[in-house]
Amino acid sequence: MANVTVVGAQWGDEGKGKIVDWLSERADIVVRFQGGHNAGHTLVIGNQVYKLSLLPSGVVRRGKLSVIGNGVVVDPWALTAEIEGLRKQGVAISPETLKVAENAALILPFHGEIDRLREAARGDAKIGTTGRGIGPAYEDKVARRAIRLCDLAEPATLERKLDELLLHHNALRRGLGHPEIDRAALRKAMDEIAPKVLPFAAPVWERLDEARRAGKRILFEGAQGTMLDVDHGTYPFVTSSNTAAAFAAVGSGMGPSAIGYVLGITKAYTTRVGSGPFPTELNDSIGKTLGERGKEFGTVTGRPRRCGWFDAVMVRQAIRVGGIRGIALTKLDVLDGFDELKVCTGYRCGGETVQHFPAGMARQAEVTPVYETMSGWQASTKGARSWADLPAEAVKYIRRIEELIAAPVALLSTSPERDDTILVHDPFAD
């Protein structure tokens, strides 16, 4: 049986939630493999809207196993709150339907505090983090001082590791002129949350290996986007984890061969939240229209997203770096009614034309887009469920994007509704 890995091919917010939910009907297990509760996915199913941050998008489907892998940093309080919120919406979640990697690193309350303190100290040079502690939690993980989910079950281990962790963070807080952490209050909070989250803890790598051997279909769900990857994105304006598809193996405890078909999600235009370079950004009425039509506000933060024309150079780079075999093109309907559309086909930088995003910050800041202009369409594409329902100019736009990014459109989404999807190639068929 084929597995599928879904990743964003832009700067996140590409509409992965709906696509993963749609694909999860064909899957047995849905796995989150990186990021934290800074990721936001909105699912629209009938009259019900589900907003997810940490839980896999497949959690709303009955009979599916949801997994949070070891590559995710887990805020146990956010996790329990999200579970309770979904239960109130009628979604059944239990240790039988949700497994969390026992070796996942935890986000603790002071991680968010230090995240926000450092961001404020940067002033105009801020990165644009969500302030939820994801970056500091990953820092502790790499520095080998993190508290992991399994540590909550071992009081003696937790005592020792807390001392080491607070030794570092209290020194950092003193340097920023902030009070030290109340150790007793922190330990009490951890003791209280432990029985709520430990029932979900499991060696998920073992469960996933058993599922693979049994021929089960596994869907790996990425968060953010490839151009926010800590190695391959627009550093330092990136997230704190590897968002490229290859990390699905590391972040879940499976071998590279398990990744399967890699599907990249991309909007028919481009958006970005927070700071960082954005060559095709539109600070005019067109950019405002894209934002209003696309309801471009962050699921997690509520921040308005920056909007611009489709950047084929960036998406092509994401496809190459991520091993993406096909794309799911979303929000095509947002472009309805424009007389003309523009697509970025190259960059001008330092007096030359380049076909990739430069790595250096100064070079990134110099980049200006080279545009190709195409005719728009006046008919509506919203809710289309077949190619025959699409205006001819919309089809031309899609075909030109395929040429420029050197990858085919496997799925086409024409509204937030689950069933408003045109299937060109079933990723699970490979």
Side-chain angles (χ1 to χ4, degrees):
M1 290 290 185
N3 296 333
V4 174
T5 298
V6 175
V7 293
Q10 295 167 310
W11 280 301
D13 310 307
E14 299 97 347
K16 293 183 291 297
K18 173 198 167 172
I19 300 300
V20 171
D21 172 61
W22 192 85
L23 287 170
S24 66
E25 185 177 17
R26 297 162 172 78
D28 300 297
I29 303 173
V30 183
V31 184
R32 271 285 309 274
F33 60 85
Q34 51 77 218
H37 64 307
N38 55 339
H41 294 162
T42 300
L43 309 181
V44 180
I45 303 173
N47 296 323
Q48 191 71 268
V49 178
Y50 302 99
K51 292 186 180 293
L52 309 178
S53 296
L54 188 56
L55 293 169
S57 297
V59 76
V60 300
R61 284 194 180 271
R62 294 183 184 275
K64 310 295 180 182
L65 176 63
S66 294
V67 171
I68 296 176
N70 56 276
V72 178
V73 284
V74 178
D75 182 324
W77 294 274
L79 176 61
T80 54
E82 192 169 333
I83 289 172
E84 289 305 315
L86 286 176
R87 282 172 174 165
K88 290 178 181 178
Q89 290 185 277
V91 179
I93 301 176
S94 70
E96 285 67 46
T97 60
L98 173 66
K99 304 291 183 183
V100 183
E102 60 185 0
N103 55 334
L106 299 183
I107 300 174
L108 302 177
F110 58 80
H111 284 130
E113 292 175 2
I114 198 67
D115 201 359
R116 294 186 291 272
L117 282 170
R118 292 194 304 199
E119 190 75 339
R122 292 186 180 104
D124 292 339
K126 65 183 179 180
I127 294 173
T129 76
T130 60
R132 297 198 167 200
I134 282 78
Y138 272 117
E139 290 174 35
D140 284 342
K141 177 180 178 178
V142 173
R144 295 166 292 186
R145 56 175 173 259
I147 304 297
R148 302 194 297 175
L149 180 57
C150 55
D151 296 330
L152 297 182
E154 300 181 3
T157 300
L158 186 57
E159 278 292 301
R160 178 180 59 79
K161 294 187 73 172
L162 269 179
D163 286 338
E164 182 180 351
L165 187 61
L166 297 191
L167 178 67
H168 169 80
H169 279 278
N170 282 334
L172 187 59
R173 292 164 74 94
R174 288 194 298 269
L176 290 169
H178 207 63
E180 293 189 2
I181 296 164
D182 185 333
R183 190 189 193 285
L186 175 61
R187 180 58 196 269
K188 180 182 179 183
M190 295 175 74
D191 288 340
E192 291 174 348
I193 200 67
K196 297 180 181 179
V197 294
L198 282 175
F200 297 98
V204 301
W205 64 269
E206 187 175 47
R207 182 65 182 271
L208 292 173
D209 183 64
E210 291 171 353
R212 179 185 64 82
R213 292 174 184 276
K216 302 292 186 180
R217 287 179 169 180
I218 303 172
L219 179 60
F220 298 95
E221 175 183 9
Q224 290 93 33
T226 301
M227 296 309 292
L228 289 176
D229 185 280
V230 69
D231 286 304
H232 298 288
T234 49
Y235 191 91
F237 302 101
V238 293
T239 194
S240 303
S241 61
N242 287 108
T243 59
F247 198 72
V250 179
S252 63
M254 301 195 75
S257 62
I259 291 174
Y261 185 100
V262 180
L263 180 70
I265 317 300
T266 177
K267 285 176 181 169
Y269 52 101
T270 309
T271 64
R272 179 165 197 165
V273 172
S275 306
F278 187 169
T280 66
E281 183 173 12
L282 297 170
N283 295 305
D284 57 14
S285 60
I286 295 176
K288 183 179 180 181
T289 298
L290 290 173
E292 291 174 347
R293 288 185 182 177
K295 297 180 175 59
E296 297 296 352
F297 297 92
T299 301
V300 171
T301 64
R303 291 182 294 182
R305 297 171 185 145
R306 301 154 64 190
C307 299
W309 295 121
F310 185 85
D311 188 338
V313 180
M314 180 182 72
V315 174
R316 184 172 62 244
Q317 184 167 330
I319 285 170
R320 291 178 176 178
V321 168
I324 294 170
R325 295 175 57 185
I327 67 167
L329 191 67
T330 66
K331 293 198 170 183
L332 181 70
D333 56 298
V334 173
L335 299 181
D336 292 352
F338 283 101
D339 292 328
E340 64 177 31
L341 305 169
K342 292 184 179 182
V343 176
C344 175
T345 59
Y347 297 146
R348 292 291 295 171
C349 183
E352 61 178 343
T353 300
V354 296
Q355 292 296 327
H356 68 277
F357 227 123
M361 288 180 64
R363 292 266 290 171
Q364 288 178 0
E366 291 179 12
V367 164
T368 57
V370 176
Y371 283 124
E372 177 179 309
T373 302
M374 301 185 65
S375 298
W377 55 88
Q378 301 307 309
S380 174
T381 63
K382 187 176 180 64
R385 297 186 181 181
S386 72
W387 286 103
D389 295 333
L390 298 175
E393 295 302 328
V395 175
K396 290 180 182 178
Y397 181 77
I398 296 167
R399 295 306 186 205
R400 182 56 178 149
I401 284 177
E402 289 179 317
E403 293 175 356
L404 291 168
I405 65 176
V409 170
L411 291 102
L412 181 67
S413 172
T414 56
S415 92
E417 294 290 339
R418 175 186 279 177
D419 294 328
D420 290 342
T421 306
I422 299 173
L423 176 64
V424 182
H425 174 77
D426 185 353
F428 279 117
D430 284 24

